């Protein structure tokens, strides 16, 4: 599939998106969030969740929790068949804009040390490695790199 083959709509997550997001989460993560966990974020002002939709189907999402002037990316996923098409980049750009409007100065995330592809995506979007969290991930156990991006 190429970028010319489709259009993707990037928008805020709604209640109707929580089941498809949870299904995608199960397919790509070893310790997935439940549908209820996604539902709990939709109307909570402490969270920002965005989805990527193609032909009525959720093909990606990104979520953040906001705390004072900082925020953390809680999860980001793109359907395997839709990866490397710029969807994650577009979702991240929208999150950056929404967070900056809320006065968030720094955005943080953790990423598996072995997930070099994701690290490259984050670095291309202005994140820098700032630390290491030992044994952060389970199933399998692995350290996480802590990364940060200044928004303001």
């Amino acid at each position: 599939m190429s970028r010319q083959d489709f259009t993707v709509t990037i928008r805020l997550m709604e209640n109707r998106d929580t089941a498809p997001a949870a299904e995608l989460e199960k397919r790509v993560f070893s310790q997935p969030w439940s549908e209820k966990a996604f539902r709990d974020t939709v109307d909570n002002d402490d969270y920002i969740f965005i989805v990527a939709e193609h032909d009525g189907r959720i093909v990606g999402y990104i979520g953040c929790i906001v705390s004072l002037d900082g925020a953390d990316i809680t999860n980001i996923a793109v359907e395997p068949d839709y990866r490397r098409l710029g969807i994650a980049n577009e979702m991240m750009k929208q999150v950056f804009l929404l967070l900056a409007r809320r006065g968030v100065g720094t955005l943080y995330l953790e990423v598996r040390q072995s997930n070099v592809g994701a690290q490259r995506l984050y670095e291309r979007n202005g994140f820098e490695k700032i630390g290491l969290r030992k044994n952060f991930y389970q199933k399998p156990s692995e350290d996480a790199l802590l990364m940060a991006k200044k928004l303001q």
Side-chain angles (χ1 to χ4, degrees):
M1 183 178 302
S2 72
R3 290 181 193 193
Q4 292 80 22
D5 292 339
F6 69 97
T7 58
V8 174
T9 301
I10 308 292
R11 59 175 175 75
L12 289 174
M13 183 179 280
E14 300 172 1
N15 279 316
R16 65 186 166 109
D17 304 318
T18 59
E23 287 303 313
L24 174 55
E25 179 97 350
K26 284 183 209 172
R27 288 193 296 280
V28 299
F29 293 114
S30 62
Q31 293 185 285
W33 279 30
S34 67
E35 181 180 349
K36 181 185 180 320
F38 281 101
R39 239 186 352 262
D40 289 346
T41 69
V42 172
D43 296 318
N44 185 330
D45 288 339
D46 292 336
Y47 289 89
I48 294 174
F49 266 78
I50 288 177
V51 296
E53 184 178 36
H54 169 64
D55 284 344
R57 179 177 176 221
I58 300 304
V59 297
Y61 60 85
I62 183 172
C64 305
I65 186 168
V66 180
S67 176
L68 300 175
D69 66 344
D72 291 274
I73 291 180
T74 56
N75 36 10
I76 180 171
V78 175
E79 284 282 1
D81 290 345
Y82 289 80
R83 291 181 183 162
R84 302 202 186 340
L85 298 173
I87 294 170
N89 281 320
E90 289 304 313
M91 290 189 302
M92 290 177 82
K93 285 178 192 175
Q94 291 301 313
V95 164
F96 299 160
L97 289 171
L98 291 170
L99 291 171
R101 285 184 199 145
R102 288 181 64 170
V104 172
T106 306
L107 178 58
Y108 300 92
L109 62 82
E110 290 89 8
V111 59
R112 284 185 181 270
Q113 272 194 303
S114 63
N115 194 345
V116 176
Q119 291 171 41
R120 286 187 186 131
L121 167 71
Y122 302 140
E123 288 169 346
R124 282 193 310 269
N125 280 280
F127 285 87
E128 296 179 358
K129 295 173 186 169
I130 62 167
L132 182 72
R133 296 191 187 221
K134 292 293 221 179
N135 301 312
F136 183 81
Y137 291 103
Q138 304 303 313
K139 296 184 180 181
S141 180
E142 186 173 353
D143 296 343
L145 293 174
L146 178 61
M147 300 181 81
K149 174 186 173 66
K150 295 286 184 196
L151 298 174
Q152 298 188 9

